[in-house]
Amino acid sequence: MEELVRRIQNDGNVLSEGVLKVDRFITHQVDPVLMEQIGARLAEVFAEKNITKVVTIESSGIAPAIYTAQSLATPMIFARKEKSLTMDEELLTSSVYSFTKQLASTISISRKFLNEQDHVLIVDDFLANGQAAKGLIELCQQAGAQVEGIGIVIEKSFQIGRQLLEDMDVPVVSLARIDSLEEGKVSFRQADA
Ligand code: 5GP
């Protein structure tokens, strides 16, 4: 997605060879116009899959996921990283190791929001080692829901996430793919959409 690549070039900051900061438009301050375009694009790519729910993980997956869900006219569910006092029903849970926080957390979704009739599109802001997406796939599997695909805003293709997810037979579509963050520079490869 050209507009996204341009935005990363203009407003992204390379923090290290492994980490890109996009807090000017995705992860802290959010550009709703760009997000709406991202949501529309992901919805278009997965339009034939009869998606019934869009699933993400809090917090920075929520913005792209909500716009994707709006375009697909489905609900959006975000997995919580901390159990809320109001989550008093049966939960689907999985353990996720966070790339940016370098710690493991238990993620959960209330069982009542996913079932075996659901066709799920997972959406997230970044794909690095694939742990967040894998945790979300596990939650869907516990509910008996079918994961139809994974829509990613920014994939760091030099990390193992895509391989891990493709080995699980889930199609991955990334709107920007980064080959390297070496020498403070973002190098892109051809994106999926
Ligand atoms: P994974 O689980 O694929 O290793 O990492 C994905 C999660 O880590 C995403 O949900 C995202 O929040 C965070 N993340 C991974 N790499 C980066 C990065 O380079 N920059 C930012 N801002 N977040 C990242």
Side-chain angles (χ1 to χ4, degrees), residues 18-23 27 57-58 60-61 81 96-100 124-134 156 159 161 181:
V19 181
L20 177 68
K21 190 168 173 177
V22 287
D23 65 342
T27 57
I57 183 167
E58 65 176 354
S60 44
K81 288 179 179 158
V96 168
Y97 184 79
S98 161
F99 176 78
T100 42
D124 205 1
D125 60 335
F126 272 91
L127 176 60
N129 292 321
Q131 295 305 301
K134 181 167 161 272
K156 291 182 293 176
Q159 291 177 288
L181 295 172

Side-chain angles (χ1 to χ4, degrees), residues 13-176:
N13 295 101
V14 177
L15 279 195
S16 68
E17 292 196 346
V19 181
L20 177 68
K21 190 168 173 177
V22 287
D23 65 342
R24 289 169 185 275
F25 57 107
I26 297 181
T27 57
H28 196 11
Q29 175 171 262
V30 178
D31 179 342
V33 175
L34 180 68
M35 280 300 163
E36 191 175 26
Q37 292 166 359
I38 285 169
R41 190 74 196 98
L42 288 176
E44 193 180 2
V45 170
F46 290 100
E48 307 296 307
K49 299 281 189 178
N50 298 319
I51 302 298
T52 59
K53 306 268 166 68
V54 174
V55 170
T56 189
I57 183 167
E58 65 176 354
S59 54
S60 44
I62 293 177
I66 190 76
Y67 282 103
T68 308
Q70 185 188 37
S71 283
L72 288 167
T74 67
M76 183 278 283
I77 307 163
F78 62 94
R80 291 180 177 265
K81 288 179 179 158
E82 269 161 43
K83 193 169 180 286
S84 149
L85 272 180
T86 58
M87 290 175 87
D88 55 354
E89 319 90 345
E90 198 186 341
L91 298 177
L92 310 161
T93 62
S94 162
S95 175
V96 168
Y97 184 79
S98 161
F99 176 78
T100 42
K101 303 208 173 87
Q102 310 250 308
L103 51 87
S105 61
T106 301
I107 62 166
S108 51
I109 287 178
S110 216
R111 178 172 271 288
K112 67 172 185 265
F113 293 131
L114 278 179
N115 61 52
E116 43 298 308
Q117 260 90 53
D118 279 317
H119 295 263
V120 172
L121 173 61
I122 291 173
V123 170
D124 205 1
D125 60 335
F126 272 91
L127 176 60
N129 292 321
Q131 295 305 301
K134 181 167 161 272
L136 292 173
I137 291 172
E138 284 167 5
L139 297 186
C140 294
Q141 285 171 339
Q142 286 170 29
Q146 176 74 28
V147 178
E148 299 288 352
I150 301 184
I152 296 290
V153 181
I154 304 174
E155 171 189 320
K156 291 182 293 176
S157 306
F158 55 90
Q159 291 177 288
I160 60 158
R162 175 178 280 252
Q163 192 59 55
L164 181 93
L165 301 176
E166 286 181 347
D167 288 348
M168 295 174 85
D169 266 341
V170 187
V172 179
V173 171
S174 302
L175 300 184

